[in-house]
Amino acid sequence: MSADIIDGKAFAAGLRGRVAALVGPFRDQAGRAPGLAVVLVGEDPASQVYVRSKHKATVEAGMESFEHRLPADATQDQLLALVRQLNEDDRVDGILVQLPLPAPLDEQQVIATIDPDKDVDGFHVVNAGRLAVGQPGYVPCTPLGCLMLLKDRIGDLSGLNAVVIGRSNIVGKPMAQLLLAESCTVTVAHSRTRDLPEVVKRADIVVAAVGRPEMVRGDWIKPGAVVIDVGINRVPGAEPGKTRLVGDVAYDEAAAVASAVTPVPGGVGPMTIAVLLRNTLVAAHRRTGVALAPDAI
Ligand code: GUN
Protein backbone atom coordinates (compact mmCIF):
# COMPACT_ATOMS: atom_id res chain seq x y z
CA MET A 1 0.00 0.00 0.00
CA SER A 2 1.21 3.48 -0.71
CA ALA A 3 -0.31 6.55 0.91
CA ASP A 4 -1.81 9.45 -0.97
CA ILE A 5 0.30 12.59 -0.86
CA ILE A 6 -1.54 15.52 0.72
CA ASP A 7 -0.62 18.38 -1.60
CA GLY A 8 -0.40 21.35 0.76
CA LYS A 9 1.11 23.52 -1.93
CA ALA A 10 -1.93 23.08 -4.18
CA PHE A 11 -4.39 23.49 -1.29
CA ALA A 12 -2.57 26.66 -0.15
CA ALA A 13 -2.71 28.07 -3.69
CA GLY A 14 -6.45 27.42 -3.77
CA LEU A 15 -6.95 29.09 -0.37
CA ARG A 16 -4.92 32.11 -1.47
CA GLY A 17 -7.06 32.33 -4.58
CA ARG A 18 -10.29 32.21 -2.54
CA VAL A 19 -8.96 34.92 -0.22
CA ALA A 20 -7.87 37.09 -3.16
CA ALA A 21 -11.34 36.74 -4.74
CA LEU A 22 -12.91 38.19 -1.57
CA VAL A 23 -10.58 41.20 -1.38
CA GLY A 24 -12.33 43.10 -4.19
CA PRO A 25 -15.83 42.83 -2.65
CA PHE A 26 -14.36 43.90 0.72
CA ARG A 27 -12.67 46.91 -0.88
CA ASP A 28 -15.91 47.91 -2.58
CA GLN A 29 -17.74 47.97 0.74
CA ALA A 30 -15.03 49.23 3.11
CA GLY A 31 -13.43 51.73 0.74
CA ARG A 32 -9.97 50.26 1.34
CA ALA A 33 -8.10 46.97 1.04
CA PRO A 34 -7.42 44.72 4.05
CA GLY A 35 -4.03 45.67 5.56
CA LEU A 36 -1.32 43.51 7.12
CA ALA A 37 1.61 45.05 9.02
CA VAL A 38 4.73 42.92 9.43
CA VAL A 39 7.47 43.98 11.84
CA LEU A 40 10.99 42.62 11.42
CA VAL A 41 13.64 43.38 14.02
CA GLY A 42 17.27 42.69 13.07
CA GLU A 43 18.79 40.83 10.15
CA ASP A 44 18.14 37.13 10.81
CA PRO A 45 18.39 35.60 7.31
CA ALA A 46 15.55 33.08 7.74
CA SER A 47 13.26 35.80 9.12
CA GLN A 48 14.12 38.07 6.19
CA VAL A 49 13.09 35.31 3.78
CA TYR A 50 9.79 34.75 5.64
CA VAL A 51 8.99 38.46 5.76
CA ARG A 52 9.70 38.86 2.05
CA SER A 53 7.41 35.91 1.23
CA LYS A 54 4.65 37.31 3.43
CA HIS A 55 4.93 40.73 1.77
CA LYS A 56 4.79 39.19 -1.72
CA ALA A 57 1.80 36.98 -0.88
CA THR A 58 -0.05 39.89 0.74
CA VAL A 59 0.38 42.10 -2.31
CA GLU A 60 -0.53 39.24 -4.66
CA ALA A 61 -3.80 38.78 -2.75
CA GLY A 62 -4.61 42.46 -3.38
CA MET A 63 -4.06 43.47 0.23
CA GLU A 64 -2.08 46.38 1.62
CA SER A 65 1.30 45.35 3.07
CA PHE A 66 2.96 47.60 5.65
CA GLU A 67 6.54 46.56 6.35
CA HIS A 68 8.41 47.94 9.35
CA ARG A 69 12.06 47.18 9.96
CA LEU A 70 13.90 47.98 13.15
CA PRO A 71 17.63 47.53 13.74
CA ALA A 72 18.83 44.56 15.81
CA ASP A 73 19.74 46.96 18.63
CA ALA A 74 16.24 48.49 18.79
CA THR A 75 14.99 48.87 22.35
CA GLN A 76 11.94 47.21 23.84
CA ASP A 77 10.35 50.65 24.18
CA GLN A 78 10.87 51.43 20.48
CA LEU A 79 9.29 48.12 19.49
CA LEU A 80 6.35 48.56 21.86
CA ALA A 81 5.81 52.11 20.56
CA LEU A 82 5.65 50.78 17.00
CA VAL A 83 3.16 48.06 17.98
CA ARG A 84 0.97 50.65 19.74
CA GLN A 85 1.10 52.88 16.66
CA LEU A 86 -0.04 49.94 14.50
CA ASN A 87 -2.81 49.14 17.01
CA GLU A 88 -4.14 52.68 16.46
CA ASP A 89 -3.77 52.67 12.65
CA ASP A 90 -7.18 51.95 11.09
CA ARG A 91 -5.65 50.82 7.80
CA VAL A 92 -3.98 47.95 9.63
CA ASP A 93 -6.19 44.89 10.23
CA GLY A 94 -3.44 42.43 11.11
CA ILE A 95 -0.14 42.83 12.96
CA LEU A 96 2.61 40.23 12.83
CA VAL A 97 5.89 40.68 14.69
CA GLN A 98 8.30 38.20 13.16
CA LEU A 99 9.79 35.84 15.76
CA PRO A 100 12.30 35.09 17.13
CA LEU A 101 13.25 38.58 18.32
CA PRO A 102 16.91 39.39 18.93
CA ALA A 103 18.05 39.20 22.56
CA PRO A 104 17.29 40.83 24.95
CA LEU A 105 13.87 41.81 23.56
CA ASP A 106 10.92 40.33 25.47
CA GLU A 107 8.66 38.48 23.03
CA GLN A 108 5.87 37.86 25.52
CA GLN A 109 5.53 41.54 26.35
CA VAL A 110 5.47 42.43 22.64
CA ILE A 111 2.76 39.85 21.91
CA ALA A 112 0.76 41.06 24.92
CA THR A 113 0.86 44.61 23.50
CA ILE A 114 -0.69 43.66 20.15
CA ASP A 115 -4.43 44.40 19.99
CA PRO A 116 -5.97 40.88 20.22
CA ASP A 117 -8.38 41.82 17.42
CA LYS A 118 -5.38 42.47 15.12
CA ASP A 119 -3.41 39.43 16.32
CA VAL A 120 -3.57 37.43 13.08
CA ASP A 121 -0.79 35.13 14.40
CA GLY A 122 -3.15 34.07 17.22
CA PHE A 123 -0.33 34.27 19.77
CA HIS A 124 -1.98 36.66 22.28
CA VAL A 125 -3.27 34.99 25.48
CA VAL A 126 -6.71 36.42 24.74
CA ASN A 127 -6.81 34.47 21.47
CA ALA A 128 -5.42 31.33 23.15
CA GLY A 129 -8.24 31.71 25.69
CA ARG A 130 -10.88 32.30 23.03
CA LEU A 131 -9.76 29.12 21.26
CA ALA A 132 -9.85 27.16 24.52
CA VAL A 133 -13.45 28.21 25.29
CA GLY A 134 -14.76 28.15 21.71
CA GLN A 135 -15.17 31.89 21.12
CA PRO A 136 -14.35 33.52 17.79
CA GLY A 137 -10.78 34.79 17.71
CA TYR A 138 -7.57 34.15 15.80
CA VAL A 139 -5.93 30.74 15.65
CA PRO A 140 -2.19 30.31 14.94
CA CYS A 141 -1.69 29.82 11.22
CA THR A 142 0.21 26.53 11.16
CA PRO A 143 -2.23 24.42 13.23
CA LEU A 144 -5.23 25.98 11.47
CA GLY A 145 -3.62 25.06 8.15
CA CYS A 146 -3.15 21.48 9.41
CA LEU A 147 -6.82 21.31 10.40
CA MET A 148 -7.90 22.54 6.97
CA LEU A 149 -5.82 19.80 5.30
CA LEU A 150 -7.28 17.17 7.63
CA LYS A 151 -10.89 18.25 7.00
CA ASP A 152 -10.28 18.41 3.27
CA ARG A 153 -8.93 14.85 3.37
CA ILE A 154 -11.21 13.20 5.93
CA GLY A 155 -14.35 15.33 6.16
CA ASP A 156 -15.98 14.82 9.56
CA LEU A 157 -13.29 14.22 12.22
CA SER A 158 -15.77 13.44 15.00
CA GLY A 159 -14.83 10.48 17.19
CA LEU A 160 -11.41 9.93 15.64
CA ASN A 161 -8.34 9.34 17.81
CA ALA A 162 -5.85 12.15 17.23
CA VAL A 163 -2.33 12.20 18.62
CA VAL A 164 -0.45 15.50 18.57
CA ILE A 165 3.27 15.09 19.19
CA GLY A 166 4.64 18.35 20.61
CA ARG A 167 3.16 20.83 23.09
CA SER A 168 4.36 24.22 21.89
CA ASN A 169 2.14 27.27 22.29
CA ILE A 170 2.40 27.91 18.54
CA VAL A 171 1.53 24.45 17.19
CA GLY A 172 0.93 21.57 19.62
CA LYS A 173 -1.44 23.20 22.11
CA PRO A 174 -3.65 25.06 19.58
CA MET A 175 -3.68 21.95 17.34
CA ALA A 176 -5.01 19.90 20.25
CA GLN A 177 -7.70 22.52 20.94
CA LEU A 178 -8.78 22.58 17.28
CA LEU A 179 -9.04 18.78 17.12
CA LEU A 180 -10.97 18.71 20.39
CA ALA A 181 -13.39 21.27 18.95
CA GLU A 182 -13.89 18.87 16.02
CA SER A 183 -14.85 16.17 18.57
CA CYS A 184 -11.69 14.11 18.22
CA THR A 185 -10.34 12.17 21.19
CA VAL A 186 -7.07 14.03 21.60
CA THR A 187 -3.78 12.94 23.13
CA VAL A 188 -0.91 15.42 23.40
CA ALA A 189 2.40 13.58 23.51
CA HIS A 190 5.77 15.19 24.28
CA SER A 191 9.36 14.49 25.29
CA ARG A 192 8.33 12.88 28.59
CA THR A 193 5.62 10.66 27.11
CA ARG A 194 6.12 7.01 27.94
CA ASP A 195 6.07 4.48 25.11
CA LEU A 196 5.43 7.03 22.37
CA PRO A 197 5.28 4.41 19.58
CA GLU A 198 2.42 2.66 21.39
CA VAL A 199 0.56 5.97 21.87
CA VAL A 200 0.97 6.92 18.21
CA LYS A 201 -0.19 3.44 17.12
CA ARG A 202 -3.71 4.20 18.42
CA ALA A 203 -4.07 7.33 16.29
CA ASP A 204 -6.32 7.75 13.27
CA ILE A 205 -4.72 11.20 12.94
CA VAL A 206 -1.08 11.92 13.74
CA VAL A 207 0.22 15.50 13.86
CA ALA A 208 3.99 15.61 14.40
CA ALA A 209 5.42 18.94 15.58
CA VAL A 210 8.55 18.20 17.57
CA GLY A 211 11.42 19.47 15.43
CA ARG A 212 13.32 16.15 15.47
CA PRO A 213 14.23 14.83 12.04
CA GLU A 214 12.39 11.64 11.03
CA MET A 215 11.61 10.73 14.64
CA VAL A 216 8.22 9.15 13.89
CA ARG A 217 8.80 5.75 12.28
CA GLY A 218 6.59 3.76 9.95
CA ASP A 219 5.98 0.95 12.46
CA TRP A 220 4.49 3.48 14.92
CA ILE A 221 1.67 4.24 12.54
CA LYS A 222 -1.71 2.54 12.45
CA PRO A 223 -2.52 1.25 8.96
CA GLY A 224 -4.77 3.77 7.19
CA ALA A 225 -3.97 6.70 9.50
CA VAL A 226 -3.62 10.25 8.17
CA VAL A 227 -0.24 11.78 9.02
CA ILE A 228 0.45 15.52 9.15
CA ASP A 229 4.13 16.43 9.40
CA VAL A 230 4.78 19.95 10.70
CA GLY A 231 8.56 19.46 11.01
CA ILE A 232 11.04 21.31 8.83
CA ASN A 233 14.52 20.05 9.68
CA ARG A 234 17.69 20.66 7.72
CA VAL A 235 19.96 17.60 7.70
CA PRO A 236 23.15 16.67 5.81
CA GLY A 237 22.40 15.64 2.22
CA ALA A 238 23.73 12.77 0.13
CA GLU A 239 26.56 14.86 -1.29
CA PRO A 240 29.19 16.42 0.98
CA GLY A 241 28.41 20.03 1.88
CA LYS A 242 24.79 19.73 0.72
CA THR A 243 21.75 19.73 2.98
CA ARG A 244 18.16 18.62 2.52
CA LEU A 245 14.88 19.22 4.33
CA VAL A 246 13.13 16.44 6.18
CA GLY A 247 10.11 16.39 8.45
CA ASP A 248 9.54 14.89 11.89
CA VAL A 249 8.19 11.75 10.20
CA ALA A 250 10.22 9.14 8.29
CA TYR A 251 8.29 9.83 5.10
CA ASP A 252 8.90 6.68 3.05
CA GLU A 253 8.18 4.40 5.99
CA ALA A 254 5.01 6.31 6.92
CA ALA A 255 3.81 6.37 3.31
CA ALA A 256 3.94 2.56 3.23
CA VAL A 257 1.45 2.33 6.13
CA ALA A 258 -0.68 5.50 6.26
CA SER A 259 -3.61 6.30 3.96
CA ALA A 260 -2.36 9.87 3.44
CA VAL A 261 0.67 11.87 4.47
CA THR A 262 1.98 15.40 4.00
CA PRO A 263 5.38 15.70 2.30
CA VAL A 264 8.23 17.97 3.44
CA PRO A 265 8.59 20.35 1.71
CA GLY A 266 5.23 21.01 0.02
CA GLY A 267 2.89 19.87 2.78
CA VAL A 268 2.14 22.03 5.82
CA GLY A 269 4.74 24.72 5.04
CA PRO A 270 2.88 26.54 2.23
CA MET A 271 -0.31 26.58 4.32
CA THR A 272 1.06 29.00 6.92
CA ILE A 273 1.16 32.10 4.73
CA ALA A 274 -2.16 31.21 3.06
CA VAL A 275 -3.82 31.03 6.50
CA LEU A 276 -2.16 34.30 7.53
CA LEU A 277 -3.89 35.98 4.56
CA ARG A 278 -7.15 34.26 5.50
CA ASN A 279 -6.85 35.52 9.10
CA THR A 280 -6.11 39.04 7.85
CA LEU A 281 -9.18 38.99 5.58
CA VAL A 282 -11.32 37.80 8.49
CA ALA A 283 -9.86 40.53 10.74
CA ALA A 284 -10.66 43.18 8.12
CA HIS A 285 -14.29 42.06 7.97
CA ARG A 286 -14.71 41.84 11.73
CA ARG A 287 -13.09 45.21 12.39
CA THR A 288 -15.16 47.04 9.77
CA GLY A 289 -18.42 45.12 10.21
CA VAL A 290 -18.46 44.16 6.51
CA ALA A 291 -20.24 40.78 6.35
CA LEU A 292 -18.32 37.64 5.39
CA ALA A 293 -20.28 34.45 4.76
CA PRO A 294 -19.29 31.90 7.45
CA ASP A 295 -18.26 29.26 4.91
CA ALA A 296 -16.72 31.73 2.41
CA ILE A 297 -13.15 30.56 3.16
N1 GUN B 1 8.55 32.95 12.83
C1 GUN B 1 8.42 31.76 12.20
N2 GUN B 1 7.12 31.51 11.95
C2 GUN B 1 6.42 32.55 12.44
C3 GUN B 1 5.03 32.87 12.48
O1 GUN B 1 4.16 32.13 12.02
N3 GUN B 1 4.72 34.05 13.06
C4 GUN B 1 5.65 34.88 13.58
N4 GUN B 1 5.24 36.01 14.13
N5 GUN B 1 6.95 34.62 13.57
C5 GUN B 1 7.32 33.46 12.99
Side-chain angles (χ1 to χ4, degrees):
M1 188 170 77
S2 184
D4 294 333
I5 297 172
I6 297 176
D7 189 344
K9 199 172 165 193
F11 190 94
L15 176 57
R16 281 166 61 167
R18 293 195 294 284
V19 169
L22 292 164
V23 166
F26 173 84
R27 202 191 303 110
D28 291 343
Q29 291 189 65
R32 64 170 180 84
L36 174 65
V38 175
V39 178
L40 175 62
V41 185
E43 319 265 306
D44 177 68
S47 291
Q48 287 182 332
V49 171
Y50 283 133
V51 166
R52 213 172 302 131
S53 316
K54 285 167 187 169
H55 170 76
K56 186 163 169 273
T58 306
V59 171
E60 276 173 11
M63 298 186 187
E64 193 90 46
S65 170
F66 304 96
E67 251 187 75
H68 294 267
R69 287 166 186 264
L70 293 178
D73 61 358
T75 64
Q76 184 78 5
D77 283 349
Q78 281 174 319
L79 181 52
L80 294 180
L82 174 57
V83 170
R84 290 194 186 101
Q85 177 198 318
L86 296 170
N87 284 344
E88 295 304 316
D89 188 337
D90 263 340
R91 300 166 304 164
V92 172
D93 298 295
I95 301 171
L96 181 147
V97 179
Q98 185 67 27
L99 304 179
L101 292 172
L105 296 174
D106 177 351
E107 288 182 359
Q108 285 310 317
Q109 193 188 24
V110 172
I111 292 168
T113 303
I114 297 173
D115 178 348
D117 295 332
K118 294 189 175 189
D119 170 37
V120 286
D121 256 333
F123 292 167
H124 195 290
V125 288
V126 165
N127 283 315
R130 287 166 169 167
L131 175 61
V133 299
Q135 288 178 9
Y138 296 97
V139 177
C141 301
T142 299
L144 185 52
C146 293
L147 184 75
M148 288 179 178
L149 293 178
L150 282 167
K151 289 177 78 168
D152 182 60
R153 169 74 201 184
I154 300 173
D156 181 11
L157 307 185
S158 165
L160 297 179
N161 285 331
V163 172
V164 179
I165 315 172
R167 54 174 156 178
S168 70
N169 291 336
I170 292 176
V171 183
K173 285 180 199 167
M175 188 76 243
Q177 296 284 7
L178 286 168
L179 291 164
L180 188 57
E182 295 294 328
S183 302
C184 290
T185 301
V186 182
T187 303
V188 183
H190 46 76
S191 55
R192 302 288 177 90
T193 295
R194 293 191 189 152
D195 205 355
L196 182 59
E198 225 23 66
V199 171
V200 173
K201 196 90 193 183
R202 295 199 293 264
D204 305 301
I205 294 169
V206 180
V207 180
V210 275
R212 291 180 54 183
E214 300 179 319
M215 185 185 79
V216 177
R217 311 308 309 190
D219 61 3
W220 299 15
I221 303 210
K222 175 169 150 177
V226 176
V227 178
I228 304 289
D229 190 348
V230 183
I232 302 177
N233 309 288
R234 200 164 276 288
V235 297
E239 292 169 45
K242 292 267 169 69
T243 61
R244 67 193 174 99
L245 290 181
V246 298
D248 292 346
V249 178
Y251 180 84
D252 290 342
E253 292 179 20
V257 186
S259 64
V261 58
T262 58
V264 176
V268 173
M271 290 298 292
T272 301
I273 289 183
V275 176
L276 175 67
L277 300 178
R278 178 254 175 219
N279 283 356
T280 303
L281 183 78
V282 170
H285 282 81
R286 287 185 184 154
R287 293 187 57 257
T288 55
V290 173
L292 179 67
D295 52 359
I297 36 173

